[in-house]
Amino acid sequence: MPEIYLNDIAHGRSGDKGDTSNVCVFARKPEYYDIILREVTVERVKAHFGDMVKGEITRYEVPSLGGINLVMRHALGGGATMSLRLDSLGKSMGSAVMRMKIHVEDGEVS
C-alpha cells in the first residue's frame, strides 16, 4: 500500500486557545474525505505528535465541509505566556499534521 503525506490530499488551518491547539484538515477533493476519515484517527495523530501533545485529542467530523477538526489539549507547553516553545501559539501545528504519512490504495489518489 503506497504511503503519502497528508498534505498531498488535504490542506489545513490551525489555531489555539491557551494550552489547546486545534487543527482543521480539509480534503483537496471530495473523494479524499473518506481517506482522511480512515487515516487521520485520534490514535495516529497522537502517535504522530508523541509526547508533544500531553492531553486528550478529540476529532470532530464535518462532512459538509469535507473536513475534520482535531482539538488537542495540553499541546502547547502551557500556552503563550507559559511555554518555552518557539511556537507557543500552535500556528505550526497544522503544518505538522500535514507532514503525517498516510496509506492509500493503488489508484485511490490521482
Side-chain angles (χ1 to χ4, degrees):
M1 190 178 295
E3 193 174 61
I4 64 171
Y5 287 105
L6 180 57
N7 186 58
D8 292 334
I9 66 163
H11 60 95
R13 298 275 302 175
S14 57
D16 64 274
K17 191 67 162 179
D19 196 21
T20 300
S21 176
N22 80 292
V23 177
C24 297
V25 177
F26 300 100
R28 292 188 184 276
K29 295 181 178 180
E31 57 266 27
Y32 296 161
Y33 181 60
D34 286 336
I35 300 170
I36 292 167
L37 292 179
R38 181 185 73 221
E39 295 292 319
V40 187
T41 63
V42 167
E43 295 78 20
R44 298 229 20 240
V45 172
K46 187 77 169 166
H48 180 68
F49 282 104
D51 64 358
M52 186 177 181
V53 175
K54 301 195 181 310
E56 175 185 339
I57 298 174
T58 305
R59 181 179 94 163
Y60 298 95
E61 298 175 9
V62 190
S64 60
L65 297 177
I68 61 173
N69 185 21
L70 300 165
V71 178
M72 298 177 274
R73 291 171 182 77
H74 305 291
L76 301 172
T81 60
M82 299 182 69
S83 179
L84 297 176
R85 288 188 188 171
L86 184 59
D87 179 26
S88 62
L89 297 176
K91 301 302 179 195
S92 66
M93 295 291 273
S95 294
V97 170
M98 291 300 121
R99 288 190 306 272
M100 193 172 132
K101 290 199 173 184
I102 62 168
H103 295 96
V104 295
E105 303 286 337
D106 287 327
E108 196 171 30
V109 175
S110 55

